[in-house]
Amino acid sequence: MRQTEKIWMNGELVDWNDARIHVGAHGLHYGSGVFEGIRAYETPKGTAVFRLTDHLKRLDNSARLLYMELGYTVADLREACHGLIAANGLPECYLRPIAFFGYGELGVSAVGNPVDVVIMSWPWGAYLGEDGLKNGIRAKISSWQRVGPNVIPHASKATGVYVNSMLAVTEANRAGYDEAILLTADGFIADGSGENVFVVKDGEIFTPDLSASILPGITRDTVIQIAQDLGYTVHEKQLIRSDLMLADEAFMTGTAAEVTPLRAVDDVEIGVGPITLEVQEAYLDTARGRSERWAQWLEYATAAPAEA
């Protein structure tokens, strides 16, 4: 992580090294927090944050599912994101809003604890590597199952949920793979450690539905709409691991991962196919302002400098 100048913390811009919390913070001990990952891209018209309002609405919904009052509206947080981008002077960056129960009582119940709200920004390249974006990654089916919908609210992007993801991807990395794919307790495909999964078969696109305990990904939703706009039929349904093994193509999506081809699963070679690359190109063209088709998804934080 590259240090930048400022971090927005509880309504104020503070120096990077001064953005601190107490070791007794509830969120540190119990994972009682929610967060988002958002990308701002350099476009011909200036810096644009991709689907910023949608991300912040999901943050608000995540907080509500954890009985957490943020104390800021979506509009407040949107303004804070734009202010932070301007303060750090980054034409392209990753934004990390996070809210967590802070320092107060250390019982398991968070009732009465304050809520800290923070936004960080820093430059972050391809999450799974530039080579992964181009040539695809190798994934391993994890021995860790995705947590069930009645274990924890999977529609909330909660910090504590990501212990599940951390265990899965660490296991995969230690075995020499780039990423993990988790299954549900019933053996259906759920998602990656931080990405949604798509399969291409016979010219149609398939992705697990929300019953698989997946996070309702904003990039997932974006890709579904883009793929349909390109003329592809997209099915949201239960998938089994055999669907991955027999896929013509497969890819993973996420704000950090963008659209990353999945070239092999458990050493079964899938390769990188034309539909995946077409969807990837359309997604990046949209996020980088090179296409007007989905221009409403771009929220401009800075204007492009005028030509001399």
Side-chain angles (χ1 to χ4, degrees):
M1 181 185 295
R2 196 183 99 188
Q3 179 175 325
T4 55
E5 291 291 325
K6 298 291 183 180
I7 290 174
W8 186 92
M9 191 168 190
N10 295 324
E12 298 180 357
L13 288 171
V14 301
D15 290 342
W16 180 282
N17 289 328
D18 292 335
R20 302 173 183 176
I21 62 168
H22 196 279
V23 294
H26 193 279
L28 176 63
H29 290 256
Y30 301 113
S32 53
V34 295
F35 72 100
E36 279 296 319
I38 310 169
R39 279 194 185 270
Y41 291 92
E42 187 174 10
T43 80
K45 296 180 181 179
T47 299
V49 191
F50 191 67
R51 298 192 68 170
L52 175 59
T53 298
D54 292 327
H55 276 285
L56 295 176
K57 285 179 179 177
R58 188 172 67 178
L59 181 76
D60 186 64
N61 287 334
S62 294
R64 289 168 57 196
L65 288 169
L66 267 62
Y67 310 108
M68 178 186 291
E69 294 287 341
L70 292 179
Y72 298 95
T73 66
V74 167
D76 292 335
L77 295 174
R78 182 178 181 275
E79 182 179 350
C81 287
H82 285 180
L84 182 62
I85 290 170
N88 285 332
L90 299 173
E92 190 156 312
C93 66
Y94 184 84
L95 292 160
R96 169 54 56 87
I98 183 169
F100 51 92
F101 287 108
Y103 177 64
E105 299 296 331
L106 260 187
V108 175
S109 171
V111 173
N113 279 49
V115 174
D116 288 314
V117 184
V118 177
I119 307 171
M120 303 172 66
S121 73
W122 69 94
W124 201 5
Y127 177 65
L128 294 167
E130 292 294 340
D131 183 69
L133 271 180
K134 181 179 178 181
N135 298 314
I137 62 167
R138 298 169 61 247
K140 178 186 187 300
I141 301 293
S142 181
S143 67
W144 297 98
Q145 294 177 352
R146 171 58 73 215
V147 294
N150 287 322
V151 175
I152 199 163
H154 66 85
S156 174
K157 195 172 175 71
T159 58
V161 175
Y162 279 76
V163 172
N164 187 215
S165 294
M166 182 273 289
L167 289 169
V169 73
T170 301
E171 175 189 61
N173 291 162
R174 287 167 62 91
Y177 296 86
D178 303 301
E179 187 50 281
I181 294 175
L182 295 94
L183 306 180
T184 69
D186 295 323
F188 296 107
I189 296 169
D191 50 17
S193 67
E195 310 88 7
N196 292 113
V197 176
F198 286 79
V199 167
V200 180
K201 187 69 175 178
D202 296 329
E204 299 187 348
I205 300 174
F206 302 82
T207 191
D209 60 24
L210 297 184
S211 68
S213 297
I214 63 172
L215 182 75
I218 289 172
T219 309
R220 173 184 180 273
D221 174 71
T222 300
V223 163
I224 288 172
Q225 294 189 60
I226 286 175
Q228 290 172 335
D229 194 50
L230 291 171
Y232 295 106
T233 300
V234 182
H235 305 273
E236 298 179 64
K237 57 170 289 188
Q238 290 181 328
L239 300 173
I240 57 177
R241 62 195 303 172
S242 298
D243 292 319
L244 270 174
M245 307 301 182
L246 299 176
D248 297 328
E249 305 175 34
F251 57 90
M252 307 182 88
T253 66
T255 297
E258 297 167 309
V259 178
T260 298
L262 189 55
R263 77 169 191 268
V265 177
D266 283 350
D267 299 323
V268 175
E269 290 294 327
I270 300 171
V272 179
I275 294 176
T276 297
L277 294 178
E278 184 183 9
V279 171
Q280 181 192 70
E281 181 180 18
Y283 174 80
L284 292 175
D285 281 348
T286 299
R288 294 188 176 280
R290 297 190 292 255
S291 170
E292 292 296 322
R293 176 64 181 87
W294 299 100
Q296 73 272 18
W297 285 335
L298 298 177
E299 299 184 38
Y300 288 91
T302 64
E307 293 184 7

mmCIF file with all atom_site columns, all heavy atoms in Angstrom, residues 139-162:
data_model
loop_
_atom_site.group_PDB
_atom_site.id
_atom_site.type_symbol
_atom_site.label_atom_id
_atom_site.label_alt_id
_atom_site.label_comp_id
_atom_site.label_asym_id
_atom_site.label_entity_id
_atom_site.label_seq_id
_atom_site.pdbx_PDB_ins_code
_atom_site.Cartn_x
_atom_site.Cartn_y
_atom_site.Cartn_z
_atom_site.occupancy
_atom_site.B_iso_or_equiv
_atom_site.pdbx_formal_charge
_atom_site.auth_seq_id
_atom_site.auth_comp_id
_atom_site.auth_asym_id
_atom_site.auth_atom_id
_atom_site.pdbx_PDB_model_num
ATOM 1   N N   . ALA A 1 139 ? -7.069  -21.000 -10.183 1.00 0.00 ? 139 ALA A N   1
ATOM 2   C CA  . ALA A 1 139 ? -7.796  -21.032 -8.916  1.00 0.00 ? 139 ALA A CA  1
ATOM 3   C C   . ALA A 1 139 ? -7.906  -22.451 -8.393  1.00 0.00 ? 139 ALA A C   1
ATOM 4   O O   . ALA A 1 139 ? -7.833  -23.427 -9.153  1.00 0.00 ? 139 ALA A O   1
ATOM 5   C CB  . ALA A 1 139 ? -9.183  -20.421 -9.072  1.00 0.00 ? 139 ALA A CB  1
ATOM 6   N N   . LYS A 1 140 ? -8.108  -22.542 -7.105  1.00 0.00 ? 140 LYS A N   1
ATOM 7   C CA  . LYS A 1 140 ? -8.264  -23.825 -6.412  1.00 0.00 ? 140 LYS A CA  1
ATOM 8   C C   . LYS A 1 140 ? -9.606  -23.847 -5.700  1.00 0.00 ? 140 LYS A C   1
ATOM 9   O O   . LYS A 1 140 ? -9.990  -22.862 -5.064  1.00 0.00 ? 140 LYS A O   1
ATOM 10  C CB  . LYS A 1 140 ? -7.134  -23.987 -5.384  1.00 0.00 ? 140 LYS A CB  1
ATOM 11  C CG  . LYS A 1 140 ? -7.193  -25.251 -4.543  1.00 0.00 ? 140 LYS A CG  1
ATOM 12  C CD  . LYS A 1 140 ? -6.107  -25.222 -3.472  1.00 0.00 ? 140 LYS A CD  1
ATOM 13  C CE  . LYS A 1 140 ? -6.026  -26.533 -2.714  1.00 0.00 ? 140 LYS A CE  1
ATOM 14  N NZ  . LYS A 1 140 ? -7.295  -26.876 -2.031  1.00 0.00 ? 140 LYS A NZ  1
ATOM 15  N N   . ILE A 1 141 ? -10.319 -24.961 -5.826  1.00 0.00 ? 141 ILE A N   1
ATOM 16  C CA  . ILE A 1 141 ? -11.534 -25.119 -5.016  1.00 0.00 ? 141 ILE A CA  1
ATOM 17  C C   . ILE A 1 141 ? -11.106 -25.271 -3.564  1.00 0.00 ? 141 ILE A C   1
ATOM 18  O O   . ILE A 1 141 ? -10.313 -26.151 -3.223  1.00 0.00 ? 141 ILE A O   1
ATOM 19  C CB  . ILE A 1 141 ? -12.355 -26.351 -5.463  1.00 0.00 ? 141 ILE A CB  1
ATOM 20  C CG1 . ILE A 1 141 ? -12.767 -26.233 -6.933  1.00 0.00 ? 141 ILE A CG1 1
ATOM 21  C CG2 . ILE A 1 141 ? -13.583 -26.505 -4.562  1.00 0.00 ? 141 ILE A CG2 1
ATOM 22  C CD1 . ILE A 1 141 ? -13.736 -25.131 -7.246  1.00 0.00 ? 141 ILE A CD1 1
ATOM 23  N N   . SER A 1 142 ? -11.608 -24.412 -2.711  1.00 0.00 ? 142 SER A N   1
ATOM 24  C CA  . SER A 1 142 ? -11.154 -24.370 -1.329  1.00 0.00 ? 142 SER A CA  1
ATOM 25  C C   . SER A 1 142 ? -11.781 -25.471 -0.479  1.00 0.00 ? 142 SER A C   1
ATOM 26  O O   . SER A 1 142 ? -12.909 -25.915 -0.727  1.00 0.00 ? 142 SER A O   1
ATOM 27  C CB  . SER A 1 142 ? -11.498 -23.004 -0.723  1.00 0.00 ? 142 SER A CB  1
ATOM 28  O OG  . SER A 1 142 ? -11.052 -22.932 0.613   1.00 0.00 ? 142 SER A OG  1
ATOM 29  N N   . SER A 1 143 ? -11.053 -25.885 0.531   1.00 0.00 ? 143 SER A N   1
ATOM 30  C CA  . SER A 1 143 ? -11.619 -26.806 1.513   1.00 0.00 ? 143 SER A CA  1
ATOM 31  C C   . SER A 1 143 ? -12.511 -26.069 2.512   1.00 0.00 ? 143 SER A C   1
ATOM 32  O O   . SER A 1 143 ? -13.265 -26.697 3.260   1.00 0.00 ? 143 SER A O   1
ATOM 33  C CB  . SER A 1 143 ? -10.501 -27.535 2.266   1.00 0.00 ? 143 SER A CB  1
ATOM 34  O OG  . SER A 1 143 ? -9.769  -26.636 3.081   1.00 0.00 ? 143 SER A OG  1
ATOM 35  N N   . TRP A 1 144 ? -12.423 -24.736 2.509   1.00 0.00 ? 144 TRP A N   1
ATOM 36  C CA  . TRP A 1 144 ? -13.277 -23.925 3.378   1.00 0.00 ? 144 TRP A CA  1
ATOM 37  C C   . TRP A 1 144 ? -14.576 -23.600 2.664   1.00 0.00 ? 144 TRP A C   1
ATOM 38  O O   . TRP A 1 144 ? -14.570 -23.137 1.531   1.00 0.00 ? 144 TRP A O   1
ATOM 39  C CB  . TRP A 1 144 ? -12.568 -22.614 3.762   1.00 0.00 ? 144 TRP A CB  1
ATOM 40  C CG  . TRP A 1 144 ? -11.325 -22.834 4.561   1.00 0.00 ? 144 TRP A CG  1
ATOM 41  C CD1 . TRP A 1 144 ? -10.035 -22.843 4.105   1.00 0.00 ? 144 TRP A CD1 1
ATOM 42  C CD2 . TRP A 1 144 ? -11.260 -23.089 5.964   1.00 0.00 ? 144 TRP A CD2 1
ATOM 43  N NE1 . TRP A 1 144 ? -9.165  -23.082 5.131   1.00 0.00 ? 144 TRP A NE1 1
ATOM 44  C CE2 . TRP A 1 144 ? -9.891  -23.243 6.294   1.00 0.00 ? 144 TRP A CE2 1
ATOM 45  C CE3 . TRP A 1 144 ? -12.214 -23.207 6.974   1.00 0.00 ? 144 TRP A CE3 1
ATOM 46  C CZ2 . TRP A 1 144 ? -9.460  -23.505 7.591   1.00 0.00 ? 144 TRP A CZ2 1
ATOM 47  C CZ3 . TRP A 1 144 ? -11.779 -23.464 8.264   1.00 0.00 ? 144 TRP A CZ3 1
ATOM 48  C CH2 . TRP A 1 144 ? -10.417 -23.615 8.564   1.00 0.00 ? 144 TRP A CH2 1
ATOM 49  N N   . GLN A 1 145 ? -15.702 -23.829 3.327   1.00 0.00 ? 145 GLN A N   1
ATOM 50  C CA  . GLN A 1 145 ? -17.003 -23.542 2.733   1.00 0.00 ? 145 GLN A CA  1
ATOM 51  C C   . GLN A 1 145 ? -17.366 -22.080 2.926   1.00 0.00 ? 145 GLN A C   1
ATOM 52  O O   . GLN A 1 145 ? -16.951 -21.440 3.892   1.00 0.00 ? 145 GLN A O   1
ATOM 53  C CB  . GLN A 1 145 ? -18.092 -24.400 3.390   1.00 0.00 ? 145 GLN A CB  1
ATOM 54  C CG  . GLN A 1 145 ? -17.956 -25.882 3.139   1.00 0.00 ? 145 GLN A CG  1
ATOM 55  C CD  . GLN A 1 145 ? -19.035 -26.671 3.882   1.00 0.00 ? 145 GLN A CD  1
ATOM 56  O OE1 . GLN A 1 145 ? -19.785 -26.122 4.681   1.00 0.00 ? 145 GLN A OE1 1
ATOM 57  N NE2 . GLN A 1 145 ? -19.101 -27.963 3.604   1.00 0.00 ? 145 GLN A NE2 1
ATOM 58  N N   . ARG A 1 146 ? -18.170 -21.562 1.993   1.00 0.00 ? 146 ARG A N   1
ATOM 59  C CA  . ARG A 1 146 ? -18.726 -20.223 2.161   1.00 0.00 ? 146 ARG A CA  1
ATOM 60  C C   . ARG A 1 146 ? -19.737 -20.245 3.313   1.00 0.00 ? 146 ARG A C   1
ATOM 61  O O   . ARG A 1 146 ? -20.526 -21.180 3.448   1.00 0.00 ? 146 ARG A O   1
ATOM 62  C CB  . ARG A 1 146 ? -19.415 -19.773 0.871   1.00 0.00 ? 146 ARG A CB  1
ATOM 63  C CG  . ARG A 1 146 ? -20.213 -18.486 0.975   1.00 0.00 ? 146 ARG A CG  1
ATOM 64  C CD  . ARG A 1 146 ? -19.380 -17.301 1.420   1.00 0.00 ? 146 ARG A CD  1
ATOM 65  N NE  . ARG A 1 146 ? -18.474 -16.799 0.401   1.00 0.00 ? 146 ARG A NE  1
ATOM 66  C CZ  . ARG A 1 146 ? -17.271 -16.312 0.677   1.00 0.00 ? 146 ARG A CZ  1
ATOM 67  N NH1 . ARG A 1 146 ? -16.824 -16.289 1.924   1.00 0.00 ? 146 ARG A NH1 1
ATOM 68  N NH2 . ARG A 1 146 ? -16.509 -15.855 -0.293  1.00 0.00 ? 146 ARG A NH2 1
ATOM 69  N N   . VAL A 1 147 ? -19.678 -19.237 4.171   1.00 0.00 ? 147 VAL A N   1
ATOM 70  C CA  . VAL A 1 147 ? -20.611 -19.168 5.297   1.00 0.00 ? 147 VAL A CA  1
ATOM 71  C C   . VAL A 1 147 ? -22.041 -19.077 4.769   1.00 0.00 ? 147 VAL A C   1
ATOM 72  O O   . VAL A 1 147 ? -22.295 -18.447 3.749   1.00 0.00 ? 147 VAL A O   1
ATOM 73  C CB  . VAL A 1 147 ? -20.297 -17.972 6.214   1.00 0.00 ? 147 VAL A CB  1
ATOM 74  C CG1 . VAL A 1 147 ? -18.964 -18.160 6.901   1.00 0.00 ? 147 VAL A CG1 1
ATOM 75  C CG2 . VAL A 1 147 ? -20.298 -16.665 5.436   1.00 0.00 ? 147 VAL A CG2 1
ATOM 76  N N   . GLY A 1 148 ? -22.971 -19.707 5.468   1.00 0.00 ? 148 GLY A N   1
ATOM 77  C CA  . GLY A 1 148 ? -24.352 -19.768 5.019   1.00 0.00 ? 148 GLY A CA  1
ATOM 78  C C   . GLY A 1 148 ? -25.125 -18.493 5.282   1.00 0.00 ? 148 GLY A C   1
ATOM 79  O O   . GLY A 1 148 ? -24.733 -17.667 6.115   1.00 0.00 ? 148 GLY A O   1
ATOM 80  N N   . PRO A 1 149 ? -26.268 -18.319 4.597   1.00 0.00 ? 149 PRO A N   1
ATOM 81  C CA  . PRO A 1 149 ? -27.044 -17.073 4.711   1.00 0.00 ? 149 PRO A CA  1
ATOM 82  C C   . PRO A 1 149 ? -27.663 -16.866 6.084   1.00 0.00 ? 149 PRO A C   1
ATOM 83  O O   . PRO A 1 149 ? -28.011 -15.732 6.438   1.00 0.00 ? 149 PRO A O   1
ATOM 84  C CB  . PRO A 1 149 ? -28.127 -17.235 3.629   1.00 0.00 ? 149 PRO A CB  1
ATOM 85  C CG  . PRO A 1 149 ? -28.224 -18.711 3.401   1.00 0.00 ? 149 PRO A CG  1
ATOM 86  C CD  . PRO A 1 149 ? -26.855 -19.253 3.621   1.00 0.00 ? 149 PRO A CD  1
ATOM 87  N N   . ASN A 1 150 ? -27.812 -17.929 6.863   1.00 0.00 ? 150 ASN A N   1
ATOM 88  C CA  . ASN A 1 150 ? -28.340 -17.777 8.214   1.00 0.00 ? 150 ASN A CA  1
ATOM 89  C C   . ASN A 1 150 ? -27.247 -17.855 9.271   1.00 0.00 ? 150 ASN A C   1
ATOM 90  O O   . ASN A 1 150 ? -27.533 -17.919 10.467  1.00 0.00 ? 150 ASN A O   1
ATOM 91  C CB  . ASN A 1 150 ? -29.413 -18.833 8.495   1.00 0.00 ? 150 ASN A CB  1
ATOM 92  C CG  . ASN A 1 150 ? -30.701 -18.543 7.751   1.00 0.00 ? 150 ASN A CG  1
ATOM 93  O OD1 . ASN A 1 150 ? -31.101 -17.388 7.617   1.00 0.00 ? 150 ASN A OD1 1
ATOM 94  N ND2 . ASN A 1 150 ? -31.343 -19.573 7.241   1.00 0.00 ? 150 ASN A ND2 1
ATOM 95  N N   . VAL A 1 151 ? -25.987 -17.858 8.819   1.00 0.00 ? 151 VAL A N   1
ATOM 96  C CA  . VAL A 1 151 ? -24.858 -17.776 9.740   1.00 0.00 ? 151 VAL A CA  1
ATOM 97  C C   . VAL A 1 151 ? -24.504 -16.309 9.970   1.00 0.00 ? 151 VAL A C   1
ATOM 98  O O   . VAL A 1 151 ? -24.258 -15.877 11.093  1.00 0.00 ? 151 VAL A O   1
ATOM 99  C CB  . VAL A 1 151 ? -23.639 -18.542 9.169   1.00 0.00 ? 151 VAL A CB  1
ATOM 100 C CG1 . VAL A 1 151 ? -22.412 -18.356 10.061  1.00 0.00 ? 151 VAL A CG1 1
ATOM 101 C CG2 . VAL A 1 151 ? -23.959 -20.029 9.023   1.00 0.00 ? 151 VAL A CG2 1
ATOM 102 N N   . ILE A 1 152 ? -24.490 -15.555 8.873   1.00 0.00 ? 152 ILE A N   1
ATOM 103 C CA  . ILE A 1 152 ? -24.173 -14.132 8.902   1.00 0.00 ? 152 ILE A CA  1
ATOM 104 C C   . ILE A 1 152 ? -24.806 -13.527 7.650   1.00 0.00 ? 152 ILE A C   1
ATOM 105 O O   . ILE A 1 152 ? -24.942 -14.234 6.638   1.00 0.00 ? 152 ILE A O   1
ATOM 106 C CB  . ILE A 1 152 ? -22.642 -13.933 8.937   1.00 0.00 ? 152 ILE A CB  1
ATOM 107 C CG1 . ILE A 1 152 ? -22.268 -12.544 9.424   1.00 0.00 ? 152 ILE A CG1 1
ATOM 108 C CG2 . ILE A 1 152 ? -22.000 -14.250 7.603   1.00 0.00 ? 152 ILE A CG2 1
ATOM 109 C CD1 . ILE A 1 152 ? -20.818 -12.421 9.861   1.00 0.00 ? 152 ILE A CD1 1
ATOM 110 N N   . PRO A 1 153 ? -25.248 -12.295 7.677   1.00 0.00 ? 153 PRO A N   1
ATOM 111 C CA  . PRO A 1 153 ? -25.915 -11.742 6.485   1.00 0.00 ? 153 PRO A CA  1
ATOM 112 C C   . PRO A 1 153 ? -24.933 -11.530 5.332   1.00 0.00 ? 153 PRO A C   1
ATOM 113 O O   . PRO A 1 153 ? -24.157 -10.575 5.331   1.00 0.00 ? 153 PRO A O   1
ATOM 114 C CB  . PRO A 1 153 ? -26.507 -10.418 6.980   1.00 0.00 ? 153 PRO A CB  1
ATOM 115 C CG  . PRO A 1 153 ? -25.671 -10.046 8.162   1.00 0.00 ? 153 PRO A CG  1
ATOM 116 C CD  . PRO A 1 153 ? -25.253 -11.336 8.795   1.00 0.00 ? 153 PRO A CD  1
ATOM 117 N N   . HIS A 1 154 ? -24.964 -12.433 4.347   1.00 0.00 ? 154 HIS A N   1
ATOM 118 C CA  . HIS A 1 154 ? -23.994 -12.371 3.265   1.00 0.00 ? 154 HIS A CA  1
ATOM 119 C C   . HIS A 1 154 ? -24.193 -11.150 2.376   1.00 0.00 ? 154 HIS A C   1
ATOM 120 O O   . HIS A 1 154 ? -23.279 -10.770 1.632   1.00 0.00 ? 154 HIS A O   1
ATOM 121 C CB  . HIS A 1 154 ? -24.039 -13.651 2.422   1.00 0.00 ? 154 HIS A CB  1
ATOM 122 C CG  . HIS A 1 154 ? -25.323 -13.856 1.665   1.00 0.00 ? 154 HIS A CG  1
ATOM 123 N ND1 . HIS A 1 154 ? -25.556 -13.292 0.437   1.00 0.00 ? 154 HIS A ND1 1
ATOM 124 C CD2 . HIS A 1 154 ? -26.435 -14.558 1.976   1.00 0.00 ? 154 HIS A CD2 1
ATOM 125 C CE1 . HIS A 1 154 ? -26.757 -13.654 0.015   1.00 0.00 ? 154 HIS A CE1 1
ATOM 126 N NE2 . HIS A 1 154 ? -27.319 -14.411 0.926   1.00 0.00 ? 154 HIS A NE2 1
ATOM 127 N N   . ALA A 1 155 ? -25.368 -10.525 2.447   1.00 0.00 ? 155 ALA A N   1
ATOM 128 C CA  . ALA A 1 155 ? -25.593 -9.313  1.663   1.00 0.00 ? 155 ALA A CA  1
ATOM 129 C C   . ALA A 1 155 ? -24.877 -8.109  2.270   1.00 0.00 ? 155 ALA A C   1
ATOM 130 O O   . ALA A 1 155 ? -24.802 -7.054  1.647   1.00 0.00 ? 155 ALA A O   1
ATOM 131 C CB  . ALA A 1 155 ? -27.085 -9.022  1.563   1.00 0.00 ? 155 ALA A CB  1
ATOM 132 N N   . SER A 1 156 ? -24.351 -8.266  3.480   1.00 0.00 ? 156 SER A N   1
ATOM 133 C CA  . SER A 1 156 ? -23.570 -7.208  4.114   1.00 0.00 ? 156 SER A CA  1
ATOM 134 C C   . SER A 1 156 ? -22.092 -7.440  3.839   1.00 0.00 ? 156 SER A C   1
ATOM 135 O O   . SER A 1 156 ? -21.581 -8.544  4.032   1.00 0.00 ? 156 SER A O   1
ATOM 136 C CB  . SER A 1 156 ? -23.818 -7.210  5.633   1.00 0.00 ? 156 SER A CB  1
ATOM 137 O OG  . SER A 1 156 ? -22.980 -6.287  6.282   1.00 0.00 ? 156 SER A OG  1
ATOM 138 N N   . LYS A 1 157 ? -21.410 -6.398  3.381   1.00 0.00 ? 157 LYS A N   1
ATOM 139 C CA  . LYS A 1 157 ? -19.959 -6.494  3.167   1.00 0.00 ? 157 LYS A CA  1
ATOM 140 C C   . LYS A 1 157 ? -19.297 -6.196  4.510   1.00 0.00 ? 157 LYS A C   1
ATOM 141 O O   . LYS A 1 157 ? -18.765 -5.106  4.758   1.00 0.00 ? 157 LYS A O   1
ATOM 142 C CB  . LYS A 1 157 ? -19.522 -5.513  2.078   1.00 0.00 ? 157 LYS A CB  1
ATOM 143 C CG  . LYS A 1 157 ? -18.127 -5.761  1.515   1.00 0.00 ? 157 LYS A CG  1
ATOM 144 C CD  . LYS A 1 157 ? -17.862 -4.864  0.318   1.00 0.00 ? 157 LYS A CD  1
ATOM 145 C CE  . LYS A 1 157 ? -16.436 -4.985  -0.190  1.00 0.00 ? 157 LYS A CE  1
ATOM 146 N NZ  . LYS A 1 157 ? -16.177 -6.282  -0.845  1.00 0.00 ? 157 LYS A NZ  1
ATOM 147 N N   . ALA A 1 158 ? -19.381 -7.180  5.385   1.00 0.00 ? 158 ALA A N   1
ATOM 148 C CA  . ALA A 1 158 ? -18.929 -7.029  6.768   1.00 0.00 ? 158 ALA A CA  1
ATOM 149 C C   . ALA A 1 158 ? -17.488 -7.507  6.916   1.00 0.00 ? 158 ALA A C   1
ATOM 150 O O   . ALA A 1 158 ? -17.083 -8.510  6.316   1.00 0.00 ? 158 ALA A O   1
ATOM 151 C CB  . ALA A 1 158 ? -19.841 -7.813  7.706   1.00 0.00 ? 158 ALA A CB  1
ATOM 152 N N   . THR A 1 159 ? -16.726 -6.801  7.731   1.00 0.00 ? 159 THR A N   1
ATOM 153 C CA  . THR A 1 159 ? -15.309 -7.129  7.884   1.00 0.00 ? 159 THR A CA  1
ATOM 154 C C   . THR A 1 159 ? -15.109 -8.546  8.409   1.00 0.00 ? 159 THR A C   1
ATOM 155 O O   . THR A 1 159 ? -14.232 -9.271  7.939   1.00 0.00 ? 159 THR A O   1
ATOM 156 C CB  . THR A 1 159 ? -14.612 -6.125  8.811   1.00 0.00 ? 159 THR A CB  1
ATOM 157 O OG1 . THR A 1 159 ? -15.271 -6.125  10.088  1.00 0.00 ? 159 THR A OG1 1
ATOM 158 C CG2 . THR A 1 159 ? -14.669 -4.718  8.227   1.00 0.00 ? 159 THR A CG2 1
ATOM 159 N N   . GLY A 1 160 ? -15.916 -8.948  9.394   1.00 0.00 ? 160 GLY A N   1
ATOM 160 C CA  . GLY A 1 160 ? -15.740 -10.257 9.991   1.00 0.00 ? 160 GLY A CA  1
ATOM 161 C C   . GLY A 1 160 ? -15.951 -11.414 9.032   1.00 0.00 ? 160 GLY A C   1
ATOM 162 O O   . GLY A 1 160 ? -15.346 -12.489 9.188   1.00 0.00 ? 160 GLY A O   1
ATOM 163 N N   . VAL A 1 161 ? -16.793 -11.211 8.018   1.00 0.00 ? 161 VAL A N   1
ATOM 164 C CA  . VAL A 1 161 ? -17.059 -12.264 7.035   1.00 0.00 ? 161 VAL A CA  1
ATOM 165 C C   . VAL A 1 161 ? -15.771 -12.642 6.299   1.00 0.00 ? 161 VAL A C   1
ATOM 166 O O   . VAL A 1 161 ? -15.592 -13.794 5.873   1.00 0.00 ? 161 VAL A O   1
ATOM 167 C CB  . VAL A 1 161 ? -18.118 -11.791 6.017   1.00 0.00 ? 161 VAL A CB  1
ATOM 168 C CG1 . VAL A 1 161 ? -18.325 -12.828 4.918   1.00 0.00 ? 161 VAL A CG1 1
ATOM 169 C CG2 . VAL A 1 161 ? -19.438 -11.504 6.712   1.00 0.00 ? 161 VAL A CG2 1
ATOM 170 N N   . TYR A 1 162 ? -14.863 -11.697 6.180   1.00 0.00 ? 162 TYR A N   1
ATOM 171 C CA  . TYR A 1 162 ? -13.691 -11.912 5.337   1.00 0.00 ? 162 TYR A CA  1
ATOM 172 C C   . TYR A 1 162 ? -12.615 -12.788 5.979   1.00 0.00 ? 162 TYR A C   1
ATOM 173 O O   . TYR A 1 162 ? -11.613 -13.108 5.335   1.00 0.00 ? 162 TYR A O   1
ATOM 174 C CB  . TYR A 1 162 ? -13.141 -10.567 4.861   1.00 0.00 ? 162 TYR A CB  1
ATOM 175 C CG  . TYR A 1 162 ? -13.946 -10.066 3.680   1.00 0.00 ? 162 TYR A CG  1
ATOM 176 C CD1 . TYR A 1 162 ? -15.213 -9.521  3.859   1.00 0.00 ? 162 TYR A CD1 1
ATOM 177 C CD2 . TYR A 1 162 ? -13.480 -10.225 2.383   1.00 0.00 ? 162 TYR A CD2 1
ATOM 178 C CE1 . TYR A 1 162 ? -15.980 -9.121  2.789   1.00 0.00 ? 162 TYR A CE1 1
ATOM 179 C CE2 . TYR A 1 162 ? -14.238 -9.820  1.297   1.00 0.00 ? 162 TYR A CE2 1
ATOM 180 C CZ  . TYR A 1 162 ? -15.491 -9.273  1.508   1.00 0.00 ? 162 TYR A CZ  1
ATOM 181 O OH  . TYR A 1 162 ? -16.260 -8.900  0.426   1.00 0.00 ? 162 TYR A OH  1
#
